[in-house]
Amino acid sequence: METKTPTCQNCEKPYEEGFEFCPHCGQKTNEDLTIGVLFYNTISNYFSFDARFLKSFIPLMFRPGYLARKFLEGKRLLFLHPAQMYLFVSVIFFFILSFSTREFVARADKVNKDVVNSDKVNKTLDSMQLEKVALDSIKTSKVIKSIKDNKELLGLTDEDFKASDSIINAAIANNNSGPSFAWDFNEKKVDSLISINAEEKLIFKEMGMKDDVEEDGFQYKFFKYMLDRKKDRGKGFGSVIQGFFDAIPISMFFLLPMFALFLKLFYFRSGTYAHHLVFSFYYFSYLFTTLSLIFGINRFIYDIPNWIDWLVALSAFLYFYIALLNFYKRNWFFTLIKSSIITFLFFMAVIPVALLIIAFTLYWEIN
């Protein structure tokens, strides 16, 4: 008699009759669609995630290197996956950080607005421009006087002297005709042009920009950037700061693999690059968890003294050192040296990345 072999509705592979779950994909067999079935996977996955996170939280915070070691030993369902842990914690961290970021950006925009509208700043710039003109006039008069006193020795007639006088003044004027960013324009007239929605080129001309400036050139973009500041369109220095904070999560996609690469270079005989990446995911999860607690408590519960904040932040190095000892099982002295060098190299990599982010956001603002 032929044995009946049903087919799984999910993976379409045959299995022996009597199985409650498909041996190939794990889906329940002969399951009618109900409201309970519809939400079963979502609820079960959520509580499974929640349970694994709770099981992983204590070892993550108080047993450095333990989770990474257990993951490599094959215990990959009992605890939260390293990449999943990192993504979950980073979302929480940047969510909490956003509250402080908004306040910081608002203060930066206020400072920007005060600077743009400051009469003191404008008067200072005006006085600097007047001093520059005065110095140019003094230099011009000295040169002309020297020529006039020696015109007979130079063989110059009165007409030649007048011509040289004109040439000198034109040369000095031409020397000062480069891109000028000194804001010695009439503030009230510019404000009036802005209030009537005048063309930008007309406003730029009143601000001191020359007619022959190309629209795709830096000088034109700079004038446009400063006009946006003056119009207070919300594109002040705060937007640059906001852009910097927004770029941090993106930069971590480069910094974290770079951190794992440093580990691979110093522990090149201790497994593949993926092994070091597992360690990095869990370590950065610890960092973001710690920072989330600090920012969260400071923002919503209690203003922790600064020295405690710094102490907790600096404890990250001690955690890193102990995690290396537990994960790689090497000599404590050489581990201390390696952890110090890796930390130094990583911070040296963070600095140029941060500067590139700032430069990119500023360039994006101007363009």
Side-chain angles (χ1 to χ4, degrees):
M1 186 175 180
E2 186 178 352
T3 304
K4 186 178 181 180
T5 55
T7 302
C8 176
Q9 295 176 343
N10 179 54
C11 65
E12 299 182 352
K13 292 183 179 180
Y15 61 89
E16 294 183 9
E17 189 175 12
F19 278 88
E20 186 177 358
F21 295 91
C22 174
H24 304 288
C25 67
Q27 177 171 292
K28 195 171 182 179
T29 60
N30 299 324
E31 187 174 51
D32 295 329
L33 182 62
T34 62
I35 296 296
V37 171
L38 182 62
F39 292 101
Y40 170 77
N41 289 332
T42 302
I43 295 172
S44 62
N45 288 338
Y46 172 78
F47 282 107
S48 174
F49 171 85
D50 183 69
R52 283 182 292 139
F53 177 77
L54 293 177
K55 289 180 181 178
S56 306
F57 181 78
I58 299 300
L60 176 71
M61 300 303 295
F62 301 104
R63 301 186 68 178
Y66 175 82
L67 290 178
R69 171 57 60 183
K70 290 299 178 182
F71 187 84
L72 294 187
E73 289 176 359
K75 294 180 173 58
R76 300 178 183 178
L77 294 179
L78 183 61
F79 303 106
L80 199 59
H81 190 279
Q84 194 176 10
M85 169 74 81
Y86 170 75
L87 291 174
F88 178 72
V89 172
S90 63
V91 168
I92 295 177
F93 168 67
F94 288 112
F95 173 74
I96 295 175
L97 182 64
S98 65
F99 290 95
S100 300
T101 301
R102 283 198 295 267
E103 293 180 357
F104 190 66
V105 169
R107 288 197 297 267
D109 280 336
K110 185 179 183 303
V111 171
N112 176 76
K113 185 177 180 180
D114 292 341
V115 170
V116 170
N117 298 325
S118 174
D119 292 336
K120 186 176 181 180
V121 172
N122 292 324
K123 289 178 181 178
T124 301
L125 291 172
D126 289 343
S127 63
M128 291 172 62
Q129 183 69 14
L130 290 173
E131 289 177 4
K132 181 178 181 298
V133 172
L135 288 173
D136 290 341
S137 300
I138 293 172
K139 292 177 181 178
T140 304
S141 62
K142 286 183 178 180
V143 173
I144 294 174
K145 185 177 183 302
S146 177
I147 296 174
K148 184 178 181 180
D149 294 339
N150 298 277
K151 67 177 183 178
E152 294 181 357
L153 183 63
L154 296 172
L156 297 176
T157 63
D158 290 337
E159 292 182 358
D160 293 333
F161 173 73
K162 290 180 180 179
S164 63
D165 187 2
S166 301
I167 293 172
I168 292 171
N169 283 294
I172 293 176
N174 183 63
N175 186 53
N176 295 329
S177 63
S180 175
F181 302 115
W183 306 112
D184 57 342
F185 52 83
N186 189 317
E187 289 280 336
K188 292 182 179 180
K189 189 171 182 180
V190 171
D191 291 337
S192 299
L193 292 172
I194 293 174
S195 64
I196 63 174
N197 295 322
E199 291 186 3
E200 287 187 342
K201 290 184 177 181
L202 183 61
I203 301 176
F204 293 158
K205 186 175 181 179
E206 185 60 35
M207 293 172 68
M209 191 180 76
K210 300 186 180 302
D211 296 329
D212 58 348
V213 174
E214 297 180 0
E215 292 189 9
D216 58 346
F218 179 81
Q219 187 178 352
Y220 184 91
K221 293 178 180 179
F222 184 84
F223 271 90
K224 184 175 178 61
Y225 176 77
M226 295 307 299
L227 179 60
D228 287 338
R229 305 291 79 73
K230 186 162 184 60
K231 287 182 177 180
D232 193 23
R233 293 177 178 172
K235 297 182 178 179
F237 297 122
S239 62
V240 178
I241 296 172
Q242 182 66 59
F244 173 75
F245 280 109
D246 291 342
I248 293 177
I250 300 174
S251 67
M252 291 307 302
F253 282 99
F254 299 96
L255 292 175
L256 192 149
M258 185 184 299
F259 186 81
L261 180 61
F262 290 151
L263 292 174
K264 176 62 178 175
L265 293 176
F266 283 86
Y267 294 95
F268 59 92
R269 295 180 180 177
S270 300
T272 63
Y273 176 75
H275 291 66
H276 308 291
L277 198 57
V278 168
F279 179 92
S280 302
F281 274 129
Y282 279 124
Y283 178 63
F284 276 87
S285 297
Y286 163 79
L287 288 180
F288 283 165
T289 302
T290 303
L291 292 174
S292 297
L293 291 172
I294 292 175
F295 278 101
I297 294 173
N298 277 324
R299 180 66 177 79
F300 302 108
I301 302 176
Y302 172 73
D303 188 11
I304 302 175
N306 291 334
W307 68 270
I308 296 180
D309 291 340
W310 283 107
L311 185 62
V312 173
L314 292 174
S315 67
F317 174 76
L318 179 61
Y319 181 99
F320 177 53
Y321 169 66
I322 298 175
L324 289 178
L325 283 175
N326 294 334
F327 185 74
Y328 293 104
K329 305 293 185 182
R330 296 292 189 270
N331 177 273
W332 68 269
F333 178 73
F334 289 108
T335 301
L336 179 62
I337 295 176
K338 289 182 178 181
S339 61
S340 301
I341 297 175
I342 292 172
T343 302
F344 174 78
L345 291 176
F346 182 71
F347 276 107
M348 289 300 99
V350 167
I351 293 173
V353 169
L355 292 176
L356 284 174
I357 293 172
I358 294 173
F360 176 78
T361 52
L362 181 58
Y363 177 81
W364 184 266
E365 278 292 307
I366 294 178
N367 286 274

